[in-house]
């Protein structure tokens, strides 16, 4: 019988593959469009690298090697089940955000030629549901991988990206859309309904 540790590793890999499959078509299309604002260079590239390290590189090393072993702890069936639930939730939310954004999606702080402010679908309620999906992805990693370093690396890595990027992103959108964005901000939550 497969152990919870192995099952958690397998599900983490499947979760990452699912994430990639959902994002790939949008990424491919986004690369073909002309940008009017591109703030990816410098600080945003560093933020993306830190997030990738926490959500991808460190957990992949753990999945492939079991290292760092000293940070491992016994797997829990309850945490495993919560990990499955948060993983499913993150992928559903991830899909909803990409579907709503369509051509307006980008991986970084970028605006397309003739960029439109998306306020429909999941964006009717949350201004940054993609970040909500990534928080759930990081939580999934923490719940599926019973290792204090590999499991929590996603929360730390993505947390760094989120807290250092959310201000510049909202400032960019405010600058681009002015009063339209102010009205949108007034009627929506940033990332978590009724909390933030």
């Amino acid at each position: 019988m497969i152990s919870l540790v192995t099952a958690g590793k397998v599900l983490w890999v499947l979760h990452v593959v699912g994430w990639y499959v959902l994002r790939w078509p949008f990424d491919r299309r986004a690369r073909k469009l002309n940008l009017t604002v591109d703030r990816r260079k410098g600080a945003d590239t560093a933020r993306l690298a830190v997030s990738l390290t926490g959500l991808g590189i460190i957990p992949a090393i753990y999945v492939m090697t079991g290292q760092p072993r000293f940070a491992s702890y016994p797997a829990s069936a309850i945490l495993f089940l919560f990990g499955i639930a948060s993983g499913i939730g993150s992928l559903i939310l991830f899909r909803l955000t990409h579907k709503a954004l369509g051509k307006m999606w980008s991986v970084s702080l970028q605006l397309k030629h003739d960029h439109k402010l998306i306020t429909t679908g999941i964006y009717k309620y949350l201004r940054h549901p993609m970040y909500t999906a990534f928080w759930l992805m990081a939580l999934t990693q923490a719940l599926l991988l019973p290792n204090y370093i590999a499991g929590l690396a996603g929360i730390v890595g993505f947390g760094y990206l989120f807290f250092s990027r959310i201000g510049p992103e909202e400032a960019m959108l405010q600058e681009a859309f002015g009063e339209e964005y102010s009205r949108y901000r007034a009627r929506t939550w940033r990332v978590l309904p009724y909390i933030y």
Side-chain angles (χ1 to χ4, degrees), residues 20-147:
Y20 181 77
V21 166
L22 289 172
R23 173 158 278 185
W24 183 73
F26 294 91
D27 188 40
R28 198 183 70 207
R29 274 184 244 134
R31 292 176 191 271
K32 297 176 184 176
L33 298 174
N34 293 327
L35 300 174
T36 56
V37 175
D38 187 0
R39 299 184 181 161
R40 183 170 183 167
K41 293 181 174 70
D44 207 50
T45 299
R47 288 189 282 257
L48 288 166
V50 170
S51 186
L52 173 65
T53 300
L55 286 170
I57 296 170
I58 293 172
I61 290 169
Y62 170 73
V63 165
M64 291 185 293
T65 68
Q67 297 294 336
R69 291 194 203 297
F70 71 86
S72 292
Y73 56 87
S76 161
I78 297 293
L79 294 180
F80 181 79
L81 292 173
F82 281 128
I84 292 171
S86 66
I88 292 168
S90 75
L91 292 176
I92 290 169
L93 192 53
F94 201 62
R95 171 67 180 134
L96 291 173
T97 60
H98 281 82
K99 183 178 178 185
L101 286 172
K103 292 180 186 178
M104 299 300 112
W105 174 82
S106 69
V107 74
S108 190
L109 298 180
Q110 299 169 327
L111 295 175
K112 313 284 192 264
H113 180 68
D114 295 329
H115 202 100
K116 308 271 186 293
L117 180 64
I118 305 300
T119 60
T120 57
I122 190 70
Y123 286 86
K124 183 177 179 178
Y125 310 101
L126 298 173
R127 292 192 303 278
H128 303 284
M130 183 83 65
Y131 290 145
T132 310
F134 271 101
W135 278 118
L136 283 173
M137 184 179 190
L139 178 62
T140 299
Q141 179 177 315
L143 294 169
L144 292 179
L145 303 180
N147 183 282

